[in-house]
Amino acid sequence: MARLPVPSDSNAFPEDTREAVRHIIATRGGSVPPPSGYLTYAGKAGGLLSDLVEHLRYHTSLTPAETELAICTSARASGNDYIWNAHCRLGLEVGTREEALNVVDTHAPVDGLTPEEALIITFGRELLESPKVTDETYNAVRERWGERGMFELAASMAVYLMNAAMLRTADVHPAPEARHLAR
């Protein structure tokens, strides 16, 4: 069970939290997803995070399958089962291949994946798990997606590290029957 409830638009929460909750409800289809919802404890920051996540998921030059693979790579790097479970399911719905998800989950070699899958995973591993992105990877990502796509990819991965921090702070976990990361 989470340490805190996700805030709602009730008198139990301060007005700045309630304003952020109302913003998220109005802009995210009537729901308050836990990562952004928890950040509403900090007031407006929760609404801003929700807007950023929504933009990075749905309004970039990346395909939905590429975006979801990037998010799953971030979930693996942060060890976050909640994000992993949600975005594996969403990724499969938009065309992310199970083979690519298995490579991310088990930290297996990227051989046998499509060039785009291999590049997203390699970039994510270097960006999130090593001291630097190699020149080879940087140049390949820049050539494939351009500067815009490269930074959209980096931002998509980074914002999900922030989401993982919100979930870790509140001690949020998926249901036992959910898809969990290999340990």
Side-chain angles (χ1 to χ4, degrees):
M1 175 168 237
R3 292 178 172 137
L4 293 168
V6 174
S8 64
D9 187 13
S10 76
N11 290 332
F13 298 97
E15 182 55 31
D16 63 338
T17 292
R18 292 170 55 212
E19 280 182 40
V21 167
R22 287 190 297 271
H23 173 79
I24 293 171
I25 289 170
T27 59
R28 293 296 295 270
S31 68
V32 182
S36 301
Y38 283 114
L39 194 54
T40 63
Y41 278 104
K44 187 176 180 177
L48 293 170
L49 175 60
S50 181
D51 289 347
L52 180 60
V53 168
E54 193 270 338
H55 180 81
L56 291 170
R57 282 197 59 217
Y58 302 113
H59 305 288
T60 69
S61 61
L62 305 170
T63 69
E66 290 168 342
T67 297
E68 293 300 332
L69 183 58
I71 293 167
C72 289
T73 301
S74 180
R76 169 77 270 177
S78 66
N80 192 282
D81 283 327
Y82 188 92
I83 295 170
W84 176 254
N85 175 62
H87 288 277
C88 280
R89 180 180 47 78
L90 293 168
L92 291 168
E93 289 173 7
V94 297
T96 305
R97 294 183 326 125
E98 183 68 47
E99 296 85 349
L101 294 172
N102 287 333
V103 165
V104 170
D105 188 21
T106 61
H107 218 280
V110 296
D111 304 338
L113 297 180
T114 69
E116 287 80 11
E117 291 167 339
L119 194 51
I120 289 168
I121 294 167
T122 300
F123 180 66
R125 287 174 178 173
E126 290 180 11
L127 179 68
L128 305 173
E129 300 174 14
S130 69
K132 75 174 268 180
V133 174
T134 65
D135 289 341
E136 178 183 357
T137 300
Y138 169 87
N139 290 329
V141 170
R142 185 175 178 205
E143 182 178 319
R144 169 60 183 88
W145 287 287
E147 287 88 1
R148 176 182 175 168
M150 176 173 57
F151 283 101
E152 290 170 338
L153 190 58
S156 295
M157 292 178 184
V159 78
Y160 277 88
L161 288 180
M162 185 183 342
N163 279 348
M166 298 304 115
L167 295 169
R168 187 170 292 129
T169 299
D171 199 27
V172 176
H173 303 278
E177 67 276 5
R179 182 173 178 163
H180 292 266
L181 290 159
R183 298 292 175 206

